[in-house]
Amino acid sequence: MSKLIQLFNDIHLLIEKYEQIRKEKGDNYNLFQVINMTSDETRVHSAMIADLLNPEGLHQMGDIFLKLFIRKLEELFKLELNLDYGDAKIVCEKYIGLKTKDKEGKDIGGRIDIYISDNTTVQ
C-alpha cells in the first residue's frame, strides 16, 4: 500500500512541476478566454487557421504558411502530397453531405473544418 501512496505522491509532484513549467512558459494563456469567446472557439479557430493556410489570406504572406503546413504533414505522416500551391484552394467548413451513419455505425457527411485542394490533389 505504501508503494501505491508513493506513486500517487510522485505523480502529484510531476503534475505540480509540469504546471509550474507551463506557467513560466506562458502555455496557460488562452486568447479566447481573454476576449470571452471560449464557446465559439471551434468556429473561430477553423476560420483563423483557414485564413493562415490560404495563399490569398488577409495575412499577405502568400503561400508560406500553407507550404510549412503541408511540409509538416508530409514529415509526420511520411507522405508526398505534391500540392500545386499556385492553384491551392482553402475552404472553411466545407459541406460534404447530410450527416448520417454508415453500415458500421461510423459518422459520414457533415462538414470538414478545413478543406485543402488544388486541380489534382485533395487533402
Side-chain angles (χ1 to χ4, degrees):
M1 186 65 144
S2 67
K3 286 186 177 185
L4 185 60
I5 291 171
Q6 184 59 45
L7 175 64
F8 284 122
N9 286 336
D10 291 346
I11 291 170
H12 179 72
L13 288 173
L14 284 172
I15 290 171
E16 282 183 346
K17 184 64 175 172
Y18 177 74
E19 282 303 313
Q20 178 186 354
I21 291 168
R22 285 180 53 90
K23 185 177 180 181
E24 289 171 4
K25 289 174 60 181
D27 288 347
N28 291 329
Y29 185 78
N30 184 336
L31 175 63
F32 297 98
Q33 285 179 330
V34 172
I35 61 175
N36 199 24
M37 289 188 68
T38 53
S39 64
D40 223 8
E41 269 185 271
T42 304
R43 192 186 58 160
V44 172
H45 281 156
S46 294
M48 183 174 66
I49 293 168
D51 186 69
L52 286 171
L53 294 174
N54 186 350
E56 303 296 321
L58 297 175
H59 51 78
Q60 299 180 348
M61 297 292 291
D63 61 10
I64 190 167
F65 300 120
L66 180 59
K67 284 181 178 177
L68 290 169
F69 177 72
I70 295 297
R71 187 178 311 143
K72 191 57 145 176
L73 285 178
E74 290 175 329
E75 176 187 310
L76 287 172
F77 297 103
K78 310 289 188 253
L79 300 170
E80 190 173 326
L81 297 174
N82 298 318
L83 184 74
D84 178 0
Y85 296 101
D87 197 37
K89 305 284 184 271
I90 312 299
V91 178
C92 187
E93 301 291 330
K94 180 175 175 61
Y95 179 74
I96 58 168
L98 186 63
K99 190 170 182 179
T100 59
K101 298 210 181 275
D102 67 8
K103 293 176 184 176
E104 289 84 39
K106 295 178 185 173
D107 290 330
I108 58 173
R111 296 185 181 275
I112 296 176
D113 291 342
I114 299 171
Y115 182 84
I116 302 171
S117 66
D118 63 12
N119 276 337
T120 58
T121 307
V122 176
Q123 272 49 273

